[in-house]
Amino acid sequence: MSRSKKIYILLGVLLLVCLAVFGVGRYEERKERIKNSDEIILEVPGDDVISLSWEYEGENGKETLAFHKGEKWIYDEDETFPVNEEKVADLLGWFEQFGVSFVIEDVEDFGQYGLDDPVCVIRLGTEDETYEIRLGDYSTMDAKRYVSVGGKDVYLVEHDPFEDYEVTIRDMILHDQIPWFSDVEEIQFAGAENYTVTREEESAHAYNEDDIYFSKQEEETLPLDTGNVNNYLQTMQGLDLTDYVSYNVSEEELSGYGLDDPELAVTVRYTVEDTDEKSEDKRKDGKAAQTFTLYVSRDNAAAETDEEVPAYVRIGDSQIIYEIPESSYQALMDASCNTLRHQEILPVDLNDITQLEISLEDRDHLLASETEDEETIWYYQEKEVDVADVKSALTLLRADEFTDEKPSQKQEIALTVHLNNENYQEMKIELYRYDGERCLAVVDEKPLALVERGYVVDLMEAVNGIVLN
């Protein structure tokens, strides 16, 4: 190889080395422009913002949402849409003090950060200025979002606004709220069920100290099970009011949903603490009366087909209609007095029992108690006995089905229960054969319910365990 050719080769290598050194120098210079920062890059008070819009690529294509502020926040595409103002305030809260973790200065290629085709573009408008926030890719090193707010700098943010802005219009609605019924005074059912539940403390009709709800049935005031009533109220309070089908319902739509003439209307009258000293409705107890109504129905058109029938609810005169699952519909419609009443055949406090007169297999037996040093001792024919199994069997006697059918078969067992109860001194329970699986319970000479025969057998065996020993 000639000397001149070697020189050319060496010069070429030198040039490549120089270019590499220059490139590394440029890279180091560029790398030095990325630096830690605790800078607040935007300070836009939420109260100053009069317009808010954003767009991003969603699962179903491009999502664009835009709102403007009048007396309240308004959806640009439909002024009747009920905007959740708290949700808007939360979105604006991101930029009241928008801080960053890193800054990349004097950026020339925004594309490498995903900011030429951003994931999301957010625009805020005040009376004096418009702000555009562009959200780019994630940093591969630390999973922070690249952000631009105009100018030549790019920022990395610790907290990503896109987590809150990746929503649809359905997420921006102001849903109806079901209150917490702390002090219910009355529940009215109309439609499929027609009766009223009233609250009365220390009623002369209460079976036990927990009974506070009652229903007038013909000439009888029926104590209801407080737990069952509260469970029904909790069913209402637990409704998931998010799946709306209309937010500005028309009369025609109401008819289609069956809510022009709902299957069931539930009106709850309750009280809350009245903190308004000037309130004209404040009662002597310092509380204010409130009324809440829930309407329940089915889709009239779908009900005529063999398809699964959707169910809907409406809160008072709200313009929003919600679809609810079948399980919620069934739970709401299960509002009969028989559902809410005591299911126990003997719904008293068993500790109030002082004496049991029992008729079993054509023989009569008496179990009596005495109290000695605050301890209750039970006797059968002057012999101390344990009645725990008898009491346990009594608690298991529950209504499978309420009925007014009169007994037509043999009596299995009868008990007269004497009580230390201000309202009920004694209750008579008669259990008759009905079929192979159930017995008919007659209480105070009135047919009441069908009960599982196995529990009647348990009661008979518990009595025999005492009287045959």
Side-chain angles (χ1 to χ4, degrees):
M1 181 182 294
S2 66
R3 183 178 178 189
S4 60
K5 192 171 184 178
K6 288 182 180 179
I7 292 173
Y8 286 131
I9 291 173
L10 291 173
L11 288 174
V13 171
L14 180 61
L15 178 61
L16 290 173
V17 171
C18 291
L19 289 173
V21 171
F22 177 75
V24 170
R26 292 287 293 172
Y27 172 78
E28 291 297 328
E29 179 184 359
R30 186 176 191 81
K31 193 170 75 168
E32 288 176 357
R33 294 175 183 167
I34 304 176
K35 59 184 182 182
N36 291 329
S37 174
D38 57 1
E39 182 182 355
I40 302 297
I41 60 172
L42 276 183
E43 289 187 88
V44 185
D47 291 342
D48 291 351
V49 179
I50 59 174
S51 67
L52 168 65
S53 66
W54 67 97
E55 58 190 48
Y56 67 93
E57 194 68 28
E59 293 182 358
N60 300 316
K62 189 174 183 179
E63 290 280 355
T64 301
L65 298 176
F67 302 86
H68 63 278
K69 192 174 184 180
E71 293 184 2
K72 57 183 182 179
W73 280 98
I74 299 168
Y75 180 40
D76 285 5
E77 291 190 15
D78 187 351
E79 293 189 358
T80 66
F81 181 86
V83 177
N84 187 333
E85 306 239 339
E86 289 187 7
K87 181 71 173 178
V88 175
D90 289 342
L91 293 174
L92 295 177
W94 276 98
F95 305 110
E96 291 193 339
Q97 282 196 318
F98 190 41
V100 300
S101 302
F102 295 91
V103 58
I104 307 171
E105 298 177 336
D106 297 325
V107 172
E108 296 179 1
D109 179 12
F110 284 86
Q112 64 182 316
Y113 305 112
L115 289 166
D116 57 344
D117 184 18
V119 170
C120 180
V121 179
I122 305 166
R123 298 179 180 88
L124 314 177
T126 66
E127 292 285 357
D128 303 319
E129 195 167 351
T130 299
Y131 303 88
E132 181 175 281
I133 302 96
R134 300 167 75 86
L135 308 181
D137 295 336
Y138 271 121
S139 164
T140 56
M141 292 183 61
D142 49 18
K144 299 180 190 296
R145 179 77 70 184
Y146 290 113
V147 173
S148 169
V149 293
K152 294 185 176 181
D153 295 341
V154 170
Y155 304 93
L156 282 162
V157 293
E158 189 76 33
H159 304 292
D160 183 8
F162 191 52
E163 294 176 1
D164 283 348
Y165 277 87
E166 192 180 15
V167 295
T168 68
I169 189 59
R170 298 186 69 86
D171 300 301
M172 298 300 296
I173 193 171
L174 178 62
H175 288 296
D176 294 306
Q177 298 293 317
I178 299 178
W180 184 257
F181 307 120
S182 56
D183 291 305
V184 173
E185 296 189 334
E186 183 181 273
I187 308 170
Q188 290 183 345
F189 296 97
E193 303 293 339
N194 283 282
Y195 69 100
T196 300
V197 176
T198 56
R199 183 189 183 106
E200 183 180 347
E201 304 284 349
E202 300 180 357
S203 169
H205 302 284
Y207 287 128
N208 55 63
E209 63 181 10
D210 294 329
D211 287 348
I212 57 174
Y213 295 112
F214 304 86
S215 176
K216 188 79 170 179
Q217 298 292 313
E218 297 179 353
E219 299 302 319
E220 179 185 10
T221 298
L222 185 65
L224 303 181
D225 187 306
T226 299
N228 291 343
V229 175
N230 287 338
N231 286 341
Y232 187 86
L233 293 172
Q234 288 170 14
T235 294
M236 295 174 59
Q237 291 164 334
L239 287 175
D240 181 13
L241 299 184
T242 56
D243 189 12
Y244 71 87
V245 293
S246 176
Y247 57 79
N248 188 29
V249 67
S250 66
E251 290 297 323
E252 183 178 354
E253 286 177 318
L254 272 181
S255 176
Y257 299 132
L259 288 166
D260 58 333
D261 183 20
E263 290 182 55
L264 182 67
V266 187
T267 300
V268 182
R269 305 188 193 283
Y270 63 104
T271 60
V272 295
E273 294 295 333
D274 192 347
T275 57
D276 185 358
E277 295 297 329
K278 298 181 180 179
S279 173
E280 297 180 0
D281 298 327
K282 181 179 288 189
R283 308 187 321 180
K284 291 181 179 180
D285 59 4
K287 296 184 177 181
Q290 303 285 327
T291 299
F292 171 86
T293 301
L294 174 74
Y295 299 104
V296 188
S297 202
R298 293 266 201 183
D299 186 320
N300 284 336
E304 299 175 0
T305 71
D306 294 332
E307 300 175 1
E308 183 176 342
V309 183
Y312 306 97
V313 295
R314 184 187 190 190
I315 308 300
D317 58 0
S318 169
Q319 291 297 102
I320 308 177
I321 306 299
Y322 300 93
E323 184 171 348
I324 59 172
E326 178 69 15
S327 58
S328 296
Y329 170 79
Q330 294 295 344
L332 290 170
M333 295 302 294
D334 189 16
S336 70
C337 189
N338 282 341
T339 297
L340 300 185
R341 69 189 294 182
H342 286 281
Q343 307 298 299
E344 308 94 333
I345 302 304
L346 184 63
V348 297
D349 186 342
L350 297 190
N351 291 323
D352 289 342
I353 299 176
T354 60
Q355 187 171 292
L356 290 169
E357 296 178 33
I358 304 171
S359 178
L360 175 62
E361 297 176 350
D362 298 325
R363 295 182 60 189
D364 295 330
H365 308 281
L366 176 64
L367 302 178
S369 68
E370 292 181 4
T371 301
E372 300 177 8
D373 298 327
E374 299 184 355
E375 181 182 1
T376 300
I377 302 175
W378 282 84
Y379 295 92
Y380 174 65
Q381 296 180 345
E382 298 183 356
K383 178 183 178 181
E384 186 175 333
V385 294
D386 184 354
V387 298
D389 288 346
V390 174
K391 286 187 174 182
S392 177
L394 285 171
T395 63
L396 295 175
L397 295 178
R398 297 175 63 86
D400 274 356
E401 176 187 341
F402 289 98
T403 181
D404 57 4
E405 183 177 350
K406 294 181 179 180
S408 60
Q409 298 190 50
K410 179 185 175 181
Q411 184 185 95
E412 300 270 32
I413 185 173
L415 306 93
T416 299
V417 183
H418 296 264
L419 299 160
N420 181 21
N421 184 307
E422 184 177 345
N423 299 331
Y424 299 89
Q425 280 71 53
E426 68 175 44
M427 296 181 68
K428 186 176 182 180
I429 300 173
E430 301 166 275
L431 296 159
Y432 295 85
R433 290 181 184 176
Y434 185 79
D435 57 30
E437 297 180 352
R438 296 179 296 178
C439 289
L440 174 63
V442 176
V443 177
D444 292 336
E445 300 184 351
K446 293 182 180 180
L448 177 65
L450 301 178
V451 300
E452 188 173 329
R453 189 172 189 278
Y455 294 134
V456 176
V457 172
D458 288 344
L459 175 61
M460 295 165 62
E461 291 179 349
V463 172
N464 279 326
I466 294 175
V467 303
L468 296 181
N469 288 331

